[in-house]
Amino acid sequence: MALEISPQSADGSTPSSFLDVRDLRVHFPTEDGLVKSVDGVSFTLEKGKTLGIVGESGSGKSVTSLALLGLHKNSRARVSGEVWLDGQELVNLSEGEMRSLRGSKVSMIFQDPLSALHPFYSVGSQIAEAYLVHHKVSKKEARERSVEMLKRVGIPQPERRYRDYPHQFSGGMRQRAMIAMSLVCDPELLIADEPTTALDVTVQAQILDLIRDLQEEFGSAVIIITHDLGVVAEISDDILVMYGGRRVEYGTVQDVLEHQEHPYTWGLMQSMPHLSGDVTQRLNPIKGSPPSLINLPGGCAFNPRCEFRDRVPGDRCLTERPELLPVLGSDKHIAACHLDADGKAEIRGTADKAVK
Amino acid sequence: MFRYLIRRLLAAAVILVVISMVTFFIFFALPNDPALLACGKTCSPNRLLEIRHSLGLDKSLAMQYWEFFKGLFIGRNYGDQSVSIHCSAPCLGMSFQTDTPVMTTLLGAFPADLSLALGSAVIFLILGVGLGVIAAIRKGRFADKFAVGAALFGVSLQSYFVGLILMWALVDKWNLLPSPNYTSLTDDPGQWFTGLILPWVTLVVLYLALYTRLTRSSMLEVMGEDYIRTARAKGLSSRTVIFKHGLRAAITPIVTIFGMDFGALIGGSAVITESVFGINGIGKLAVDSVTNSDEPVILGTTLFAAAFIVLANVVVDLVYGLIDPRVRLS
Ligand SMILES: Nc1ncnc2c1ncn2[C@@H]1O[C@H](COP(=O)(O)OP(=O)(O)OP(=O)(O)O)[C@@H](O)[C@H]1O
Ligand code: SF4
Ligand SMILES: [Mg+2]
């Protein structure tokens, strides 16, 4: 065993978590400049736990998850950093090695199942295909397995629906089929990219229940990506808040939702109806639009949209990039904002009032 | 699917009848008098009237078309009881030039025509799609530039030029191939093949660029689709992703263009290639009939070409149904 080198990361520590993402960067060279879609993202996740990644459109959520599947390989994207999955580093894995993990160890439920399913193949055969690549079984067995999965995700008459094409399914059914496809090989890490967007509220709740049940059954680690903090509050253990390809706040659900440390997270909370329950409450979307990923604003990337930057003395918000610092009284919670604790406490009070 | 097929076939039949009417009226409204042609140099006015009568030219245009239309299904007799010639169904009329039924002439030219069209189409389709796929997955790299460049070079040459150069080099100079000629496949398969190599190559050079570029752009579009990302995310090999998921979806626009090109090729659009290599196909027949003002043959070849293009379109629609379940099931 002397020759076997134990996996070690760049800073020398052996990752102890099931999933350990360290300083992940995904940059796309384009004609207009280098698009830094993901720029230094780190997080960890254990089996059986759920991480919610939230952020506005374009904050790099999908690009991050594609990197976990190694889907930026053979493209113009420049990926750096480390992704440790079960003691194996994925960023430097060859395409061939990565392929054997895709769909089996890591799988993904894609945003927009209508375009993510092939229009020319039946739903069932697409699920069976996912099973067949990773298992030496007959077509018949793969078919039986797929029918069983369709049944498991709550599709009525699964034998008959097996032969149907994606366009013959309703939106909710397609999402279920997509889930069946991503779970057919019992993945240890499941990434769900906005699994409930564009579904009505009842179906949305059913889909979330389904993911949770299946997670309990298989003990998988789950990453759920969404714009919707309500979904995260319901299903996750941890939350990662992304802005312009970077982390702005990270911690457990209790930490982040009850003691938000970043004005952007407050903004997301106020722009979202779910937690308040009060339908008469006026929603308060964050003013301004997401930043350019080619030229992020200097200092704090959120400063052009931040209502509180004047409270920080000496223009630091414009000149100095806030570091991710641990929040006192919590071991996991970190946030990147120059505001001091008193300022935050004061603002949180007014924000909470707005929500309640 | 079955009802869809019936509907398509009925529509095709209507289109053909309309085309036959239009061509009929255009050609028979031409100023030159077929009877005069048939009568020859020493023609007495009486004889001319007789011929007019025997060809049915003294009747109204509508009546003439009706006779023609009937002839398609039940055949028709020309002339009087004493000197009548029978033209059996489907009768497209009699050639003024050779006094044989137009159908017989067309059928005579058909095997050469079909051999030329089918052989070249199979080659340019396979080669063009293959090059297009390579170009798409190697986008921007050497293989892409080479495939697109080579195909473009081909299309910028005229077919008679390519044909003549090839003939000069391979046949006259190095004696690698026999002089191009059409031999019936049933007579001698070997000669059929070697005699058609040069005409095929000429047509392939002509069509290759179109199919390479079409496949390339269609593939590039499809490979950016979400379902391709899903296929990769399942862990499928790149070959499965490219061919089973990519090409299957990218082939649709290629089928459309191929159907039209192939229909037109059978209908005689390879006329230059036919003339260069002296192959007596439909194209050459059409040109000769125009030169000789042999109107029934002109009409016949036009209808023949139209029939194949319409038929090709029906086949294209059927293939669509096979490829795309959304078409089949709607
Ligand atoms: N291949 C690419 N080339 C250039 N830019 C890209 C590429 N892929 C993604 N981007 C850019 O990266 C940014 C982040 O995209 P991403 O899809 O991760 O956003 P997201 O957070 O998932 O948003 P949404 O909520 O709308 O799904 C976007 O601005 C997008 O334009
Ligand atoms: S650092 Fe300044 S600009 Fe950025 S979120 Fe905090 S207060 Fe706002
Ligand atoms: Mg996304």
Side-chain angles (χ1 to χ4, degrees), chain B:
Chain B
M1 191 70 188
F2 185 68
R3 274 180 45 202
Y4 169 74
L5 173 62
I6 298 290
R7 235 184 16 240
R8 292 292 302 142
L9 283 174
L10 280 177
V14 172
I15 291 173
L16 278 180
V17 170
V18 172
I19 292 178
S20 75
M21 278 185 191
V22 172
T23 1
F24 188 91
F25 291 130
I26 288 175
F27 285 130
F28 283 76
L30 289 177
N32 51 11
D33 186 346
L36 207 58
L37 275 169
C39 192
K41 288 231 165 62
T42 55
C43 188
S44 68
N46 263 346
R47 178 87 189 107
L48 190 63
L49 280 179
E50 264 174 45
I51 290 176
R52 282 235 168 92
H53 181 69
S54 75
L55 287 175
L57 294 174
D58 49 354
K59 297 184 183 138
S60 74
L61 213 52
M63 205 54 210
Q64 283 182 50
Y65 178 75
W66 174 239
E67 298 260 301
F68 171 80
F69 189 77
K70 243 179 18 192
L72 281 175
F73 297 93
I74 56 171
R76 69 196 272 201
N77 285 309
Y78 286 91
D80 311 317
Q81 279 83 347
S82 51
V83 279
S84 92
I85 310 168
H86 181 69
C87 168
S88 55
C91 176
L92 282 170
M94 302 290 282
S95 163
F96 296 156
Q97 208 69 33
T98 59
D99 270 345
T100 47
V102 173
M103 203 59 182
T104 314
T105 318
L106 279 174
L107 288 179
F110 189 58
D113 191 68
L114 186 66
S115 304
L116 185 61
L118 200 61
S120 57
V122 166
I123 305 172
F124 72 64
L125 184 66
I126 293 175
L127 223 56
V129 170
L131 283 178
V133 169
I134 292 172
I137 58 185
R138 292 261 174 267
K139 184 185 174 227
R141 289 190 251 171
F142 175 76
D144 176 24
K145 289 178 181 143
F146 180 78
V148 172
L152 258 180
F153 178 71
V155 77
S156 58
L157 303 172
Q158 294 294 325
S159 57
Y160 47 83
F161 180 71
V162 178
L164 290 174
I165 295 272
L166 285 176
M167 194 126 90
W168 172 78
L170 298 178
V171 180
D172 299 342
K173 194 149 165 44
W174 294 312
N175 281 318
L176 291 175
L177 287 171
S179 194
N181 201 334
Y182 177 73
T183 316
S184 166
L185 179 62
T186 45
D187 286 353
D188 185 340
Q191 260 185 32
W192 172 82
F193 186 79
T194 48
L196 280 167
I197 289 180
L198 286 185
W200 283 339
V201 170
T202 306
L203 282 177
V204 167
V205 167
L206 197 65
Y207 280 91
L208 193 58
L210 173 69
Y211 285 84
T212 304
R213 279 196 294 177
L214 193 65
T215 309
R216 181 180 181 272
S217 65
S218 181
M219 264 311 260
L220 280 178
E221 195 184 318
V222 166
M223 292 310 278
E225 294 282 347
D226 285 356
Y227 52 78
I228 296 297
R229 197 184 54 198
T230 311
R232 289 185 65 207
K234 290 199 243 184
L236 300 178
S237 69
S238 48
R239 186 152 36 101
T240 312
V241 173
I242 291 166
F243 291 101
K244 185 175 169 194
H245 291 256
L247 189 57
R248 167 82 187 263
I251 205 81
T252 320
I254 302 165
V255 167
T256 314
I257 306 289
F258 180 74
M260 292 202 288
D261 278 347
F262 186 58
L265 265 180
I266 292 194
S269 72
V271 52
I272 296 178
T273 307
E274 284 177 9
S275 315
V276 169
F277 295 106
I279 291 174
N280 294 313
I282 304 288
K284 195 152 176 298
L285 188 63
V287 172
D288 291 348
S289 64
V290 171
T291 323
N292 300 329
S293 300
D294 197 346
E295 278 155 17
V297 181
I298 300 178
L299 179 62
T301 48
T302 309
L303 272 181
F304 193 77
F308 270 100
I309 290 170
V310 169
L311 193 70
N313 271 302
V314 174
V315 173
V316 163
D317 283 344
L318 288 181
V319 173
Y320 268 0
L322 290 180
I323 296 179
D324 189 343
R326 290 170 300 186
V327 174
R328 187 183 337 143
L329 298 167
S330 63

